[in-house]
């Protein structure tokens, strides 16, 4: 690729042996690290592509990007804005007209709202039968008015894969191509990446074999057993989580967002002024417990004076992390094929900071722990579209009952705040929110989602 930096050793970057040690300590089977700093690209590949096979990870091995895919969808949509084909703050109804009653709330959303998770849309809409993004979108509109009370409030942040599915459908309408064909033609191939469509999807052409993810479970005698899972997703989730590639590919994409023309080095596929909207904070209630703030496609991580753009992803036993500091041309990308990759990321960030590279992460302060009895009024059912969660307060314990029979044990904290107990992922914060007018518990915010409380039976 023209203008690509040379590959040299970066003193602040852990060597391969250190990464292998960190991976072993965090239960990660394999991964890639790519760091661009001071015009120098340093790459590390470590571990195996699949547990027990001995097949080593290479610089070009494919890893599922999960939700980091959203950054690519956002950049493609902003490319259309840059070319004058779309307006970032005009409702999408002009491009996606529909007369169904449930469609009106969707069509009033703007592209900026879709990309910044502020359109008031539900978290997910699963439809395994949909063979195309259009089928998925039509199916969503047919159900869009089924649970209006379970939708978050427009203008407040609530993480929404649905919003990115709609953004993908908007791209298809404007370009007359499938989301994947438009992304490949207008963005991925001009950037010179090897990024592919995630295997196991009905879209095409040219899906890659499904990258392998890994999870651990407790086996006989209490021993941990690693088992492989294919990283897959359905047609409607493609624009939100359907790409696979390498950490080096992520750096190629991230260079578009760097401030200095010499750092971008031929990646100016979008007007830089338009692309900056991806990291321009959207006003209003922000992503509590997830990031400092959010723009039209990327989160802002860190503290004032050291804010980084970025995104994190997780899918079927895989994790992906991307951070960008535009002003000095620094990019850090980590891919892993294990559910515990978030713990490796946490350890890696500490090592990079020790070496002088203060990578931005969201590190909120945790209020002191309190008795679960103080949360008695919070018990109940909360909903966001198809996602339903029960908050259970029993004795001195506090639990979220999740779909699929899963449970998340929580640590109750002062001020209506709680934290996860921390398993594969580092502990995160959530909170219960009161209605200012009535003083009653109105919503649950957790993992970036806002879930509204269901009325209690009389």
């Amino acid at each position: 690729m023209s203008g690509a930096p040379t590959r040299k050793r970066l003193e602040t970057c852990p060597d391969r042996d250190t990464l292998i040690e960190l991976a072993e300590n965090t239960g990660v089977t394999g991964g890639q690290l790519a760091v661009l700093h001071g015009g120098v690209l340093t790459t590390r590949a470590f571990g195996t592509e699949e547990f027990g096979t001995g097949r080593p990870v290479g610089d070009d091995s494919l890893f599922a990007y999960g939700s980091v895919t959203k950054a690519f969808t956002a950049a493609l949509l902003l490319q259309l804005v840059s070319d004058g084909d779309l307006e970032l703050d005009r409702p999408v109804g002009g491009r996606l007209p529909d007369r169904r009653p449930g469609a009106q709330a969707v069509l009033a959303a703007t592209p900026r709202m879709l990309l910044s998770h502020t359109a008031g849309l539900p978290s997910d809409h699963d439809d395994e039968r949909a063979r195309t993004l259009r089928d998925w979108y039509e199916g969503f509109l047919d159900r869009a008015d089924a649970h209006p009370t379970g939708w978050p409030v427009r203008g407040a942040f609530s993480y929404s894969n649905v919003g990115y599915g709609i953004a993908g459908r908007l791209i298809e309408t404007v370009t007359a191509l499938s989301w994947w064909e438009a992304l490949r033609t207008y963005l991925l191939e001009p950037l010179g990446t090897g990024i592919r469509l995630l295997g196991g999807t009905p879209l095409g052409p040219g899906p890659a074999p499904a990258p392998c993810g890994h999870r651990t479970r407790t086996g006989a005698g209490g021993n941990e057993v690693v088992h492989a899972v294919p990283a897959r997703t359905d047609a409607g989730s493609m624009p939100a989580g359907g790409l696979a590639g390498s950490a080096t590919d992520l750096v190629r994409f991230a260079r578009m967002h760097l401030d200095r023309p010499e750092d971008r080095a031929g990646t100016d596929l979008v007007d830089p002024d338009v692309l900056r909207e991806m990291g321009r904070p959207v006003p209003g209630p922000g992503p509590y417990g997830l990031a400092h703030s959010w723009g039209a496609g990327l989160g802002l991580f860190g503290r004032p004076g050291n804010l980084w753009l970025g995104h994190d992803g997780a899918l079927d036993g895989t994790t992906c992390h991307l951070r960008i500091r535009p002003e000095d041309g620094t990019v850090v990308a980590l891919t892993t094929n294990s559910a515990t990759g978030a713990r490796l990321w946490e350890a890696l960030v500490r090592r990079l900071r020790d070496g002088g590279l203060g990578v931005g992460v969201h590190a909120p302060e945790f209020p002191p722990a309190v008795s679960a009895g103080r949360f008695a009024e919070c018990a109940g059912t909360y909903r966001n579209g198809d996602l339903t969660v029960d908050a259970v307060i029993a004795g001195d314990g506090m639990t979220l009952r999740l779909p699929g029979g899963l449970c998340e044990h929580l640590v109750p904290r002062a001020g209506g705040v709680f934290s996860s107990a921390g398993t594969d992922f580092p502990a995160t914060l959530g909170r219960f929110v009161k209605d200012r007018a009535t003083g009653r518990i109105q919503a649950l915010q957790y993992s970036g989602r806002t879930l509204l409380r269901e009325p209690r039976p009389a």
Side-chain angles (χ1 to χ4, degrees):
M1 181 176 172
S2 176
T6 56
R7 297 189 180 192
K8 297 180 181 178
R9 180 186 177 92
L10 180 66
E11 293 301 324
T12 58
C13 187
D15 59 28
R16 185 171 176 273
D17 289 342
T18 300
L19 274 174
I20 291 174
E21 179 183 354
L22 292 176
E24 290 176 348
N25 292 340
T26 54
V28 170
T29 299
Q32 302 160 326
L33 171 66
V35 179
L36 176 63
H37 183 65
V40 176
L41 176 65
T42 304
T43 61
R44 308 273 190 252
F46 56 93
T48 58
E49 291 184 345
E50 185 173 351
F51 182 77
T53 64
R55 188 169 63 246
V57 172
D59 285 343
D60 297 326
S61 295
L62 295 176
F63 288 79
Y65 286 167
S67 287
V68 177
T69 299
K70 293 180 176 69
F72 290 82
T73 297
L76 176 58
L77 196 151
L78 286 172
Q79 189 178 42
L80 299 178
V81 171
S82 177
D83 292 342
D85 297 318
L86 278 175
E87 292 185 33
L88 193 56
D89 295 306
R90 173 170 289 187
V92 302
R95 292 285 189 170
L96 297 169
D98 198 285
R99 295 178 178 272
R100 278 170 284 193
Q104 299 314 304
V106 175
L107 304 185
T110 67
R112 189 190 299 274
M113 290 176 178
L114 297 176
L115 300 182
S116 61
H117 304 284
T118 56
L121 294 169
S123 173
D124 294 280
H125 171 66
D126 298 325
D127 187 354
E128 295 288 347
R129 297 173 300 175
R131 306 303 297 170
T132 66
L133 192 53
R134 179 174 183 172
D135 291 343
W136 171 88
Y137 177 66
E138 293 294 328
F140 172 72
L141 289 188
D142 286 338
R143 295 193 55 203
D145 60 345
H147 305 292
T149 59
W151 288 24
V153 177
R154 185 183 300 275
F157 184 96
S158 185
Y159 197 87
S160 175
N161 291 314
V162 166
Y164 273 78
I166 295 172
R169 180 60 191 144
L170 179 63
I171 289 167
E172 292 186 338
T173 302
V174 173
T175 64
L177 299 170
S178 73
W179 163 82
W180 165 245
E181 290 169 335
L183 185 70
R184 184 186 60 183
T185 302
Y186 298 142
L187 206 62
L188 302 182
E189 290 182 352
L191 284 175
T193 74
I195 295 171
R196 306 287 296 277
L197 185 66
L198 193 64
T201 71
L203 300 182
C212 188
H214 297 86
R215 296 186 181 277
T216 58
R217 58 182 172 81
T218 303
N223 295 323
E224 283 194 344
V225 178
V226 178
H227 64 104
V229 290
R232 300 177 182 272
T233 190
D234 57 35
S237 300
M238 287 289 93
L243 295 181
S246 68
T248 304
D249 287 329
L250 287 175
V251 172
R252 290 193 181 104
F253 166 76
R255 289 175 66 200
M256 297 174 61
H257 299 269
L258 303 181
D259 285 347
R260 298 189 296 249
E262 60 270 26
D263 290 333
R264 295 195 297 271
T267 63
D268 286 330
L269 303 178
V270 184
D271 183 333
D273 289 336
V274 175
L275 198 63
R276 288 191 186 97
E277 297 296 334
M278 287 183 65
R280 194 183 306 279
V282 172
Y288 180 80
L290 190 65
H292 174 80
S293 55
W294 215 271
L298 292 171
L300 284 81
F301 299 85
R303 298 182 180 276
N306 187 41
L307 283 177
W308 294 59
L309 305 180
H311 215 297
D312 301 314
L315 178 69
D316 297 333
T318 70
T319 65
C320 183
H321 302 272
L322 176 64
R323 292 294 184 272
I324 308 164
R325 192 161 61 186
E327 60 267 26
D328 70 351
T330 300
V331 181
V332 179
L334 176 72
T335 60
T336 84
N337 58 12
S338 299
T340 55
R343 289 203 174 277
L344 174 58
W345 171 247
E346 193 177 48
L348 173 65
V349 167
R350 288 196 297 267
R351 289 298 182 102
L352 290 173
R353 286 180 173 176
D354 290 343
L357 193 58
V359 179
V361 295
H362 186 56
E365 295 184 4
F366 286 68
V370 298
S371 168
R374 294 172 61 173
F375 284 76
E377 64 175 327
C378 303
T381 299
Y382 297 80
R383 185 164 60 188
N384 177 317
D386 294 337
L387 174 63
T388 301
V389 171
D390 291 312
V392 179
I393 315 295
D396 203 33
M398 184 174 170
T399 304
L400 289 184
R401 291 179 181 169
L402 308 171
L406 300 176
C407 287
E408 175 106 31
H409 299 290
L410 306 175
V411 178
R413 299 184 178 276
V417 173
F418 58 86
S419 64
S420 63
T423 52
D424 290 344
F425 293 90
T428 56
L429 283 182
R431 66 179 175 182
F432 293 95
V433 181
K434 290 185 177 181
D435 185 304
R436 291 184 178 180
T438 65
R440 297 176 181 174
I441 299 297
Q442 177 190 35
L444 163 68
Q445 291 180 310
Y446 189 47
S447 190
R449 276 79 173 171
T450 299
L451 299 91
L452 299 187
R453 190 175 194 173
E454 291 282 274
R456 293 185 175 184

